[in-house]
Amino acid sequence: MNVLVSCHGRSLDLSCPRIMGILNSTPDSFSDGGRFFNPDDGLRQAEKMLAEGADIIDIGGESTRPGAQAVSLDEELARVIPLIERLRAETDTFISVDTSKSAVMREAVAAGADMINDVRALREQGALETAAALQTPVCLMHMQGEPRSMQHQPEYEDVVAEVKAFLEARISACEKAGILRTQLVIDPGFGFGKSLAHNLVLFRRIPDFQSFGLPILIGVSRKSMIGAVLDIPMQERMPASVALAGLAVWLGASIIRTHDVRETADAVKMCHAVANL
Ligand code: PT1
């Protein structure tokens, strides 16, 4: 489970934990509050994260936070492709595209993306076949329901067993479709159709997910599970996010998805040093 190699020949060594910086081009992150995301702003944001220690830049054009509406293919392409092109032209970083749509996967990888990050774990029409054809790493995430309604009444008998069974099934589907197991990353999907108790149990049991022998990606940055415990708004959740990032590494995570790259990179390095002497 040591190195991901993209179809462009770029590699990501996972012998120590890596930082995935979040680059949003969804409307809540439009600097002008208007309809058009400026790729120059995005590029500047990405370069800042790289200078702060990001190993991967994750670019998404669909908001998947609770309550978010679906976005059209044209809108998603317009948000994401120019940004990937710019970032690819300017840097040699590992680029991940956060999408569930096969057409976005195809165009993003053609524009230089190295990895597919799919919160729907390649369940959308054509996604499995497309990812297999592209021969590039894929992150498979668990979600119960769809973003718009996933937090309404999430239910599990055994959240850990059910998330693991789901990932097991998606890993098999990927292997049947011709995706190499060594190209897969798994993610329990914090905040995706889970109550606070579900999220906390899943987090404590991150070590259970090591049984797949695949790298584990954890995304909890500024999420409502922190808001629910601390009763604080999003803009005050960085310290708790950093604490969880350190804990996640301690519990076996290989990739941490975050808004706050510098702080998270320090916490991750420190926790990795203690865990691996
Ligand atoms: C994630 C993730 C993601 N999260 C991966 N990709 C988001 N692999 C987008 C909240 O509860 O964890 N892993 N792509 C962002 N989605 C959310 C979900 C944001 C829930 C916020 C919440 O506040």
Side-chain angles (χ1 to χ4, degrees), residues 16-276:
C16 68
R18 298 295 176 183
I19 303 294
M20 172 185 272
I22 302 168
L23 188 58
N24 265 321
S25 54
T26 51
D28 38 306
S29 56
F30 283 41
S31 59
D32 62 353
R35 219 181 101 70
F36 296 100
F37 183 82
N38 180 356
D40 290 333
D41 295 351
L43 185 68
R44 218 172 306 121
Q45 210 186 316
E47 284 175 334
K48 177 168 181 278
M49 291 194 288
L50 291 171
E52 292 179 347
D55 304 293
I56 309 164
I57 301 292
D58 189 40
I59 302 181
E62 178 202 2
S63 173
T64 55
R65 50 183 58 258
Q69 301 287 330
V71 59
S72 74
L73 172 60
D74 286 348
E75 186 70 42
E76 203 178 321
L77 286 170
R79 289 176 185 175
V80 138
I81 302 302
L83 202 45
I84 294 173
E85 286 172 344
R86 286 296 306 277
L87 191 57
R88 183 75 299 152
E90 308 279 339
T91 79
D92 194 40
T93 191
F94 213 80
I95 300 174
S96 145
V97 60
D98 190 343
T99 190
S100 297
K101 295 184 178 71
S102 63
V104 178
M105 294 171 187
R106 221 177 296 115
E107 296 213 19
V109 170
D114 295 295
M115 175 175 170
I116 296 163
N117 173 25
D118 185 3
V119 300
R120 296 179 184 80
L122 306 180
R123 286 177 292 160
E124 293 283 281
Q125 187 68 44
L128 195 58
E129 298 73 15
T130 297
L134 290 171
Q135 293 284 334
T136 217
V138 179
C139 177
L140 302 170
M141 198 198 77
H142 174 271
M143 167 164 61
Q144 184 181 89
E146 273 291 307
R148 206 164 62 82
S149 57
M150 65 189 176
Q151 291 307 106
H152 288 176
Q153 208 59 259
E155 270 186 61
Y156 302 86
E157 272 191 30
D158 179 337
V159 67
V160 175
E162 288 171 46
V163 172
K164 284 188 74 175
F166 170 85
L167 291 173
E168 180 74 66
R170 296 315 298 159
I171 293 165
S172 307
C174 285
E175 291 187 301
K176 274 208 195 85
I179 301 175
L180 292 176
R181 198 181 168 92
T182 53
Q183 293 282 61
L184 297 176
V185 173
I186 53 168
D187 181 346
F190 289 95
F192 287 91
K194 283 130 189 143
S195 69
L196 173 61
H198 295 141
N199 285 315
L200 296 177
V201 170
L202 265 181
F203 199 98
R204 187 163 63 236
R205 297 201 34 205
I206 287 171
D208 287 40
F209 290 84
Q210 293 190 62
S211 62
F212 294 105
L214 297 177
I216 301 168
L217 187 154
I218 298 295
V220 291
S221 187
R222 302 182 189 172
K223 284 188 180 176
S224 48
M225 63 183 283
I226 294 169
V229 171
L230 301 178
D231 193 24
I232 52 174
M234 205 131 64
Q235 61 274 15
E236 293 171 21
R237 295 177 192 168
M238 186 272 281
S241 302
V242 171
L244 288 182
L247 259 181
V249 165
W250 182 262
L251 296 172
S254 290
I255 302 175
I256 303 295
R257 186 177 181 276
T258 183
H259 299 91
D260 304 290
V261 169
R262 188 187 301 281
E263 295 85 353
T264 306
D266 283 356
V268 159
K269 267 192 204 150
M270 202 64 232
C271 291
H272 181 68
V274 175
N276 287 271

